[in-house]
Amino acid sequence: MEIIKNGDKKVVSIISKKSIPEDALYRTSGFVYPYAENGVNLLRNTLTGQVAKLTENEWTAFEQLAKRSESYAYISENGLTELVKLRFIVENDYSEVVQYKQVIEILSMMNRKKPGLKTYTILPTTGCNARCIYCYEQGIKTVTMTRETADRLIDFIRETRCDDEIKLSWFGGEPLLGYETISYICKALCDRGVPFKSEMVTNATLVTREMAHTAKILWNLKKMQISLDGMPEDYEKRKNYYLPDKHNHETVIKAIHYFADEGIEIQLRVNFDRENIPRMKNYLDFLKAEFGKYENISVYLGLLSQEKYSEKCVELYREMFELQKYMRQTGLKQGSKEKKKPHIKMNYCMADSMDSSIVIDPQGNFNHCEHLPENQSWGNIFDGCTDKELYEKLKKPALIDEKCKSCTFLPYCTPFYKQGCPGWFDHCAEYMAMKTEYSLSSIISSLNKETQE
């Protein structure tokens, strides 16, 4: 047995066994996902993040253990002792849910955050120059931040921020319609000595080369997500711009070059659904030819939210992972919104980290999620917290859902599941299985490449 991915050292140290009871019966852990490909046998521990590579004999013995419990003698004779110490194999009476809860509690104590807000997601406007057919903000009233609100927001940030560098995440609507407001806020923070960096989600069609330079220098823009929808005809039909002659696929491609030339990290989110996925491979070829030279541009595929709740979402995700394999083969750099860290998630998103993150709309209202800008607001930058009861309710950690307690991928999701979360969907387990297999397949490809070299 060989550990080929170390995972989270803190979690490993918390759960690892120092001694092994010889009078116990043993079984495979429910937090272990096995995967074999091209003669390489891997086990992923979803709690620790570790990946173990097994010999054929060890793999056969592990498969037997998955069918029935065995004694310590069986463990010892088949060289599986280290897998017991690392909790790939556990005692029959071992409660993995209890262990998981204990890990979360211990890590929470170890990772106590400094007081103050770290991330401010700011909507300078809810207006947009596009009318995307899939937009979840359809029907929301167009509001643009006033100078009075911007001034109060600047003071609010100074009053509530943590001592470290903060992050300003610009969202909309289309945030670049609020270009002047963004510049005004950033300049004021610079003048007042507030250290910050920026991120942005944008369609990028309003960008000029000068604006890209301002974003780099004045906004300290480090990372951005730009959404695409496939080939030009697919893109323009889905975006449905008010001024299609001026704002279109060609415009956004130029803008991506402007930002990339400034050294800003760019994630291209390519949206797909059952209608445009047949043409997606050709579009990935186009992106490779257009942006393949840039180290700061990566691509990830995003299933439209409407499709996530359809009966065919599993089939579409399967096609997505096949496309990701194609991207890997062609050398197109892949990226994801998820942080590529080996450890267990302590916070799934901004909604369960309200002590360090906040969403502020153009009128200065508070929210805990950028996808719910008009719901569940508990206050504003002028009056502070106006609904303490709602704030405490939203801040309280969610309980582990009963249907999630026996899931192999529990450490990836709950206790962050909350009813109404736009990121949750019925087929999450099937999706996570495919995602895990894709990840392990990538590891095997890397191992084979190293062997060949």
Side-chain angles (χ1 to χ4, degrees), residues 162-307:
C162 65
D163 289 337
D164 296 333
E165 179 186 67
I166 61 171
K167 179 171 71 177
L168 307 178
S169 182
W170 303 103
F171 198 74
E174 170 47 51
L176 290 178
L177 283 171
Y179 168 80
E180 292 182 357
T181 299
I182 296 173
S183 293
Y184 179 79
I185 293 171
C186 289
K187 184 177 186 306
L189 293 175
C190 287
D191 291 344
R192 290 162 175 77
V194 177
F196 70 90
K197 62 182 178 182
S198 290
E199 295 183 358
M200 176 176 286
V201 178
T202 175
N203 63 42
T205 53
L206 299 169
V207 176
T208 63
R209 190 175 293 279
E210 293 73 25
M211 186 185 294
H213 186 65
T214 297
K216 171 70 173 180
I217 303 303
L218 179 59
W219 305 354
N220 198 21
L221 189 67
K222 297 296 185 182
K223 181 188 293 187
M224 61 194 312
Q225 176 189 305
I226 298 173
S227 59
L228 299 167
D229 295 85
M231 303 299 284
E233 58 272 24
D234 290 318
Y235 176 87
E236 288 159 17
K237 179 172 65 176
R238 285 165 167 74
K239 292 299 185 190
N240 194 21
Y241 287 106
Y242 285 97
L243 300 173
D245 292 338
K246 187 175 181 181
H247 306 145
N248 49 52
H249 186 266
E250 182 181 356
T251 307
V252 73
I253 296 302
K254 288 181 180 178
I256 294 169
H257 281 285
Y258 295 156
F259 283 121
D261 289 342
E262 293 290 342
I264 297 167
E265 181 183 343
I266 303 171
Q267 289 186 334
L268 302 179
R269 175 190 164 107
V270 181
N271 297 314
F272 73 95
D273 56 21
R274 70 187 73 186
E275 200 281 322
N276 72 348
I277 199 169
R279 297 177 291 281
M280 200 53 67
K281 186 176 288 188
N282 288 339
Y283 192 64
L284 295 174
D285 289 339
F286 164 79
L287 293 179
K288 170 65 176 174
E290 188 75 24
F291 303 117
K293 67 177 182 179
Y294 289 102
E295 288 297 320
N296 54 327
I297 296 181
S298 61
V299 179
Y300 78 97
L301 299 169
L303 180 64
L304 291 178
S305 58
Q306 291 87 339
E307 295 281 18

Side-chain angles (χ1 to χ4, degrees), residues 102 114 223 255 295 305 348 358 391:
Q102 291 174 347
K114 294 182 179 180
K223 181 188 293 187
E295 288 297 320
S305 58
Y348 190 76
I358 195 168
Y391 176 79

